[in-house]
Amino acid sequence: MEDTDAQIIRLLSGDGRMSFTELGRATGLSTSAVHQRVKRLETRGVIRRYQALVDHEEVGLPLTAFIAIRAIDPSQPDDSPERLRHLSAIESCYSVAGEESYLLQVRVKDPQSLETLLAEIRAAANVSTRTTIVLSTPYENRPIGG
């Protein structure tokens, strides 16, 4: 990847609403040249989407947890992500190496909601769970580094 494209990606990962004019100033390119480069990065799939970062406490979802899941019957199909897709409290689903098959990042309003979600996950996917509750988040969603 070209250095200028990498710089544009770094800038946009820090502020997805940065204008083409601002990107041009930061990279030394004209506004139209930056626009063309961004469109090309989008077309290639390097930039997949733009997203608002939400303050989860402000929207009533202050409790973050990671739930590691493992199939109770390993001979069954590995379709947990599909079985859990309908649960909106699951923010991310990662396929992982190790004893568990997947690591889920969830956001809920309180411990009771987490307990209910755990029961729903176990029932929907026929899995065992291991949960880690986040106490604080020093940083997350960091922009791509230089």
Side-chain angles (χ1 to χ4, degrees):
M1 174 173 294
E2 203 175 305
D3 287 345
T4 303
D5 286 347
Q7 184 180 9
I8 289 170
I9 291 166
R10 278 193 303 277
L11 291 165
L12 286 174
S13 75
D15 179 2
R17 295 185 70 181
M18 192 174 228
S19 72
F20 294 131
T21 303
E22 292 170 316
L23 285 168
R25 273 191 227 117
T27 59
L29 298 174
S30 69
T31 301
S32 63
V34 168
H35 182 262
Q36 289 175 351
R37 283 177 179 264
V38 170
K39 290 300 173 197
R40 192 170 36 243
L41 290 166
E42 291 170 348
T43 301
R44 287 179 36 213
V46 176
I47 298 174
R48 297 188 325 209
R49 69 179 174 194
Y50 299 89
Q51 182 174 343
L53 294 178
V54 175
D55 182 327
H56 291 93
E57 283 195 32
E58 290 295 321
V59 297
L61 301 171
L63 195 154
T64 302
F66 290 95
I67 303 169
I69 64 172
R70 178 178 17 181
I72 291 174
D73 182 356
S75 69
Q76 293 300 309
D78 183 11
D79 59 356
S80 293
E82 292 77 25
R83 289 175 173 237
L84 299 173
R85 191 172 305 279
H86 70 282
L87 298 173
S88 62
I90 300 174
E91 185 173 282
S92 301
C93 175
Y94 304 97
S95 176
V96 295
E99 288 186 34
E100 285 88 7
S101 302
Y102 296 94
L103 184 63
L104 311 174
Q105 181 178 0
V106 304
R107 301 208 190 246
V108 293
K109 68 179 182 173
D110 54 32
Q112 294 80 19
S113 298
L114 179 59
E115 186 173 20
T116 299
L117 179 61
L118 287 166
E120 291 172 336
I121 289 169
R122 290 179 191 124
N126 194 31
V127 293
S128 63
T129 61
R130 186 175 51 84
T131 304
T132 302
I133 294 175
V134 174
L135 299 176
S136 69
T137 306
Y139 51 83
E140 70 178 339
N141 298 314
R142 293 170 60 172
I144 293 173

